[in-house]
Amino acid sequence: MRKKMNKKVVAITMNMKQATFKGGTHLRYNKELTSGLKVMKSTPPQEVVLPVSMHLGAPSKPIVAVGDRVKMGQKIAEPGGFVSVPTHATVSGEVIAVEPRIHTNGQRVMSIVIKNDMQETLHESILPRKEYKNLTSKEILQIIQDAGIVGMGGATFPTHVKLSIPEGKKAEYLILNAAECEAYLTNDDALMVRNSDEIVKGLEIIMHVLGVDRAYIGIEDNKPEAIEKMYESSKHLNIEMYSLKTKYPQGSEKHIIKAIAKREVPSGKLPIDVGCVVFNVATVKAIYDAVMHGMPLIERIVTITGRGVVKPQRMDVKIGTHIEHLLQQCDGIRDTEKFILGGPMMGFAHYSTDVPVLKGGSGVLLLSEEETDLAPAKDCIRCAKCVAACPMGLMPLMLSNMSIKSDFDKAEQYNAMDCIECGACAYVCPTKRMLVSNIRVAKKEILAKRKQQAEKAEAEKAKGGNN
Amino acid sequence: MGTKLFTVSSSPHIKSNATTTVLMRDVLIALAPAMVAAVIFFGVSALMLTGVCVAVAILTEWAAGKIMKKESTIGDLSAAVTGVLIAFNLPASAPWWIAAVGSVFAILIVKQAFGGIGHNIVNPALAARAFLVVCWGARMTGSAFIPAADTVTQATPLGLLSEGITGQMPSYMDMFLGNMYGCIGEVSALALLLGGIYLIIRKVITWKVPVIYIATVFVLAIIFKQDPVFHILAGGLMLGAIFMATDYTTSPVTPKGQIIYAVGCGLLTMIIRLFGSYPEGVSYSILLMNVATPIIERYTRPRVYGVVKAKKIRPKDEVK
């Protein structure tokens, strides 16, 4: 059975276009910890914690108060502007607190806490829709914003903003990012295997919104089952699938564009400037749910993995569920050195598991000491492995040294701002130098300097006006 | 649960298995075939000299760490590699004290005085060789070479070439296997190539520098109407191209820079071999290109994704 499937996948892959990018590296993926497992549904949480800021942009404004009864899918906070999305109740129950709680970014953020009544009563505004083609792009964008959809690959940029193509620009390449190049994570893989029809339907909706007649799917070639399912769901449509070489960071927006559209996003510009729009599979599935079922983004698949988890799993989780609650269902943790939200290459380490799952939270990783490698940095031996691994064509060793010497002007000349912080350089470094960390410092300093200069220019302009 | 605080640090949270020690261990493994060849052709004295060099190099590295109150770096095996390479650049007849002096010079002056691993500007082993040739020329070159087994010639092939004695040249096969006059580690092209292939497979080095270096010598030999096969098998070219020119610290980190560097090494080697007063030019050519490395890197920065070339930021910023 398995062999037969593989043969079929080989045949499909052979007919697909192959693509890749320059640079990058191969990781110890450890995807097998979860890749074969069935996606479980998390038991209902006792309470959910919903920060008003689970997205990039302005925080949403709470419209409920302590003691209010809310239903599942009900809007509990209004968007704080155009670049913002509302927050929804992900369970039905009672609002028990509206107060600052620890956010996954490590700071206290205003959050709405709902005690679950375990009834799962749906809000009456959630109604299925039969057809989307009679809706205008604008109407669909409104639906997407109302559903609170943000980029679920981790960036959490509001999706309706990305879909609002600025005047004078045109989307030519609509790309579905199904690379999932991060190590350990298999949640996108699981979603594609289970919901390929819905994802493809979601892609059709985006094609309708953007007015394009063609879409592209890029999947890394280490996901044969997802390739097969996505192919079956999309073969009757004008959708072209690309088999991408398994190499990190293939799923970076800039590098999937390079591989499929053969274009480069200019430094400091956005993908739409070269006619490209890229969406993660989970985001596209959320768009389908919102448009066809009226369902806001209240649930996502999370990979709970790492050698620190007794029983790694992939789970359907209500947004706002405590991570502790998920770990209990994985039989707890052992020998954990680091707790990471997101993937091991770009995720954020957190000191405590006492945080909720948010919209961009693809992974919950508990890494043992031997997995995470905390060896101290040694002197650079100039082996050039970081230069070869940098997908942006930078020289991480030099940028890192410039940053250490506080020579930020030079770091700027050496294109520090183009670093995407993918971590490929630090991964390959034999002397374990903190390359990304140092470059981040340089980027912060450069931004601060630019801001200062802009303010100075502004002030001088104002002064000139007075004279 | 919930009470333990986890370690927080900047991403990425996983690292590859590569360490300096693993890389240097691979270099030592790659040098092993040449060591075996040396013992076959020159006897146990080759092994003894190598032992002296390695021991003195490690000891010097350890002492330097103590003197400068720095964490000792002998564990990374880089001093051991330097030791082996110094020995490989000595004639088998060299006295033990020359080996010892060379090793102290390489580690203390060339490496540690410049800041230790990763900070030296020239290859320590080659600098030591240059130092020894200048100080004890008679013991380092010419008549210092003892005959390898079964050879009838009296000098290194390149020595013969520079004196115009072409009748006594060893056969290609002898030169390929290592049956000729020369330094301990340079004679057997076969053994060195085996080591080189191992390093490329283990991704310690890329094919670029050795292949381009050797190809440049080959092409220039043809241009100057010399025997190209003779030129790539003779002297220290194989040893230099595979193990010396590929030294991380002293070769460019940029892909384009590596090409320029390798071509430069080949060019200088042939200029010295054909027009210089020394019969062999590998060590000096690599040393010269080592010194040129920073400037090569400066002009061969890789093209950055999404950055248009015509951008004129640099001159403006540098004026200020």
Side-chain angles (χ1 to χ4, degrees):
Chain A
M1 171 71 199
R2 177 121 197 127
K3 207 165 182 185
K4 208 171 147 195
M5 186 198 84
N6 283 347
K7 233 181 201 170
K8 197 174 165 195
V9 174
V10 169
I12 295 168
T13 323
M14 292 256 281
N15 287 324
M16 283 163 69
K17 283 194 182 163
Q18 319 284 316
T20 190
F21 65 101
K22 222 176 126 199
T25 184
H26 300 281
L27 308 174
R28 265 177 288 129
Y29 285 97
N30 281 320
K31 290 196 190 239
E32 68 286 350
L33 287 173
T34 51
S35 60
L37 305 173
K38 203 169 166 281
V39 180
M40 307 297 285
K41 198 171 167 56
S42 164
T43 56
Q46 291 299 319
E47 60 167 44
V48 289
V49 177
L50 300 159
V52 294
S53 190
M54 292 192 250
H55 51 267
L56 286 181
S60 56
K61 294 182 189 121
I63 50 171
V64 290
V66 175
D68 286 2
R69 294 206 66 81
V70 292
K71 291 178 179 165
M72 192 160 92
Q74 184 182 336
K75 198 185 278 184
I76 51 172
E78 287 283 358
F82 177 63
V83 187
S84 180
V85 291
T87 304
H88 299 84
T90 60
V91 295
S92 58
E94 186 191 341
V95 177
I96 53 168
V98 181
E99 62 188 21
R101 289 281 182 108
I102 298 265
H103 187 276
T104 54
N105 65 10
Q107 292 165 353
R108 283 178 188 275
V109 173
M110 184 56 75
S111 305
I112 298 162
V113 186
I114 302 168
K115 188 171 167 11
N116 194 355
D117 62 7
M118 305 290 170
Q119 299 299 311
E120 306 213 336
T121 331
L122 265 188
H123 193 248
E124 40 292 337
S125 67
I126 296 163
L127 294 168
R129 199 175 272 110
K130 280 210 176 61
E131 190 50 75
Y132 65 87
K133 291 216 163 108
N134 47 13
L135 296 172
T136 64
S137 297
K138 213 170 167 190
E139 284 165 330
I140 295 178
L141 289 186
Q142 192 57 52
I143 294 168
I144 290 172
Q145 181 177 17
D146 286 344
I149 299 174
V150 298
M152 290 168 77
T156 67
F157 187 72
T159 300
H160 67 279
V161 183
K162 206 175 193 180
L163 275 168
S164 311
I165 307 302
E167 199 78 40
K169 298 204 172 115
K170 199 174 164 303
E172 295 163 69
Y173 281 90
L174 166 60
I175 299 170
L176 179 68
N177 187 348
E180 198 166 54
C181 63
E182 262 278 17
Y184 288 82
L185 302 185
T186 57
N187 41 292
D188 284 354
D189 189 8
L191 192 68
M192 284 189 281
V193 170
R194 190 180 66 182
N195 299 100
S196 59
D197 286 340
E198 287 85 349
I199 295 167
V200 169
K201 196 95 192 166
L203 202 53
E204 281 186 88
I205 295 170
I206 303 175
M207 285 162 78
H208 173 68
V209 170
L210 296 175
V212 295
D213 55 7
R214 197 175 176 74
Y216 301 82
I217 301 176
I219 307 189
E220 275 193 351
D221 56 14
N222 61 354
K223 290 179 255 304
E225 215 183 336
I227 288 178
E228 189 191 351
K229 288 277 166 52
M230 292 298 287
Y231 174 79
E232 290 298 329
S233 301
S234 67
K235 63 182 176 188
H236 60 287
L237 297 164
N238 194 6
I239 291 176
E240 197 172 342
M241 273 178 75
Y242 275 74
S243 165
L244 306 170
K245 215 173 118 191
T246 301
K247 192 168 69 164
Y248 184 83
Q250 179 61 74
S252 135
E253 193 167 61
K254 287 181 172 172
H255 295 93
I256 203 161
I257 289 172
K258 177 77 177 174
I260 292 177
K262 313 276 179 259
R263 296 181 182 181
E264 286 188 7
V265 182
S267 176
K269 293 271 171 68
L270 293 170
I272 190 63
D273 293 312
V274 286
C276 296
V277 195
V278 184
F279 291 100
N280 165 271
V281 284
T283 316
V284 175
K285 161 75 164 46
I287 290 172
Y288 165 84
D289 288 339
V291 176
M292 300 311 288
H293 297 294
M295 182 61 87
L297 173 49
I298 60 167
E299 198 178 78
R300 68 161 299 145
I301 301 190
V302 179
T303 313
I304 302 143
T305 187
R307 312 260 176 226
V309 182
V310 177
K311 210 175 82 193
Q313 289 203 56
R314 296 183 288 195
M315 273 194 226
D316 282 311
V317 178
K318 291 272 187 294
I319 309 287
T321 304
H322 275 296
I323 283 167
E324 294 277 337
H325 180 74
L326 301 179
L327 292 173
Q328 273 161 21
Q329 295 174 69
C330 297
D331 295 348
I333 60 170
R334 59 178 176 208
D335 313 323
T336 302
E337 183 63 35
K338 259 189 185 179
F339 160 55
I340 290 143
L341 290 156
M345 295 299 285
M346 293 190 72
F348 294 94
H350 209 272
Y351 58 85
S352 152
T353 51
D354 189 20
V355 281
V357 168
L358 304 186
K359 290 175 180 174
S362 46
V364 170
L365 262 63
L366 290 121
L367 300 181
S368 63
E369 193 177 343
E370 91 196 72
E371 273 175 298
T372 183
D373 196 346
L374 297 166
K378 297 203 169 130
D379 281 2
C380 172
I381 55 170
R382 290 173 36 86
C383 67
K385 287 186 195 297
C386 58
V387 181
C390 181
M392 295 302 289
L394 305 175
M395 293 198 276
L397 76 161
M398 299 205 175
L399 291 174
S400 167
N401 283 344
M402 290 164 192
S403 177
I404 290 169
K405 291 176 190 157
S406 301
D407 195 350
F408 303 117
D409 290 342
K410 195 151 187 205
E412 192 176 8
Q413 285 167 30
Y414 275 72
N415 306 86
M417 292 311 289
D418 286 299
C419 172
I420 58 169
E421 300 176 21
C422 69
C425 54
Y427 180 84
V428 299
C429 180
T431 52
K432 315 293 169 197
R433 293 181 71 74
M434 308 282 282
L435 298 169
V436 182
S437 179
N438 292 338
I439 296 172
R440 265 194 206 116
V441 171
K443 285 173 76 173
K444 278 222 164 107
E445 292 285 342
I446 293 165
L447 276 180
K449 190 193 80 184
R450 284 184 184 174
K451 202 175 156 205
Q452 209 179 7
Q453 279 173 351
E455 275 166 9
K456 211 170 140 193
E458 193 89 341
E460 251 159 47
K461 220 164 121 192
K463 219 164 129 194
N466 285 343
N467 291 344
Chain B
M1 280 197 301
T3 45
K4 185 186 168 180
L5 296 186
F6 302 108
T7 305
V8 175
S9 66
S10 176
S11 66
H13 306 288
I14 51 171
K15 307 265 174 80
S16 68
N17 293 326
T19 63
T20 312
T21 312
V22 170
L23 293 170
M24 293 299 157
R25 190 185 300 147
D26 273 336
V27 176
L28 288 175
I29 292 169
L31 286 164
M35 188 73 249
V36 172
V39 173
I40 291 171
F41 293 114
F42 301 114
V44 190
S45 65
L47 193 61
M48 305 273 277
L49 272 180
T50 311
V52 170
C53 286
V54 172
V56 174
I58 292 175
L59 204 67
T60 312
E61 179 106 336
W62 174 82
K66 282 272 170 235
I67 295 166
M68 295 191 268
K69 297 191 173 61
K70 276 179 30 174
E71 198 191 340
S72 173
T73 47
I74 54 170
D76 66 24
L77 299 180
S78 62
V81 169
T82 302
V84 175
L85 289 175
I86 294 168
F88 277 19
N89 277 291
L90 297 174
S93 69
W96 67 268
W97 54 267
I98 279 201
V101 169
S103 301
V104 171
F105 180 80
I107 299 295
L108 201 63
I109 309 293
V110 186
K111 187 180 175 188
Q112 292 297 343
F114 282 87
I117 186 163
H119 300 287
N120 46 302
I121 52 171
V122 292
N123 184 319
L126 283 177
R129 179 192 150 84
F131 170 73
L132 296 176
V133 168
V134 170
C135 295
W136 296 283
R139 291 184 191 269
M140 285 295 292
T141 55
S143 58
F145 295 111
I146 58 164
D150 301 333
T151 42
V152 287
T153 51
Q154 295 298 314
T156 64
L158 284 168
L160 293 171
L161 183 75
S162 78
E163 281 162 34
I165 313 165
T166 47
Q168 299 173 7
M169 287 293 178
S171 71
Y172 286 160
M173 188 45 88
D174 277 342
M175 291 176 76
F176 182 65
L177 295 175
N179 200 7
M180 61 174 176
Y181 280 61
C183 294
I184 289 174
E186 72 181 19
V187 288
S188 175
L190 173 66
L192 292 165
L193 281 172
L194 282 177
I197 290 165
Y198 175 78
L199 289 182
I200 291 168
I201 292 172
R202 295 279 296 159
K203 297 198 168 123
V204 176
I205 61 170
T206 61
W207 59 272
K208 258 194 218 155
V209 169
V211 171
I212 295 172
Y213 187 174
I214 294 168
T216 306
V217 169
F218 191 87
V219 170
L220 285 172
I222 294 173
I223 292 170
F224 287 104
K225 300 207 165 46
Q226 296 269 332
D227 179 351
V229 180
F230 170 85
H231 270 282
I232 62 169
L233 294 176
L237 182 63
M238 288 288 169
L239 179 65
I242 297 168
F243 291 98
M244 308 285 214
T246 53
D247 173 37
Y248 287 150
T249 304
T250 54
S251 63
V253 294
T254 60
K256 261 187 242 156
Q258 286 164 356
I259 296 172
I260 294 171
Y261 169 86
V263 170
C265 285
L267 195 67
L268 288 172
T269 300
M270 284 310 274
I271 289 173
I272 297 172
R273 278 188 182 180
L274 299 177
F275 309 110
S277 58
Y278 279 111
E280 173 59 313
V282 169
S283 48
Y284 289 107
S285 66
I286 297 174
L287 285 172
L288 285 169
M289 294 312 290
N290 285 168
V291 180
T293 291
I295 201 153
I296 292 175
E297 277 175 356
R298 198 154 153 198
Y299 290 102
T300 55
R301 281 163 56 182
R303 194 187 68 84
V304 177
Y305 176 109
V307 171
V308 190
K309 239 187 173 170
K311 227 173 161 186
K312 281 187 181 166
I313 302 176
R314 280 187 55 198
K316 220 163 135 192
D317 277 10
E318 273 170 5
V319 166
K320 151 192 102 157

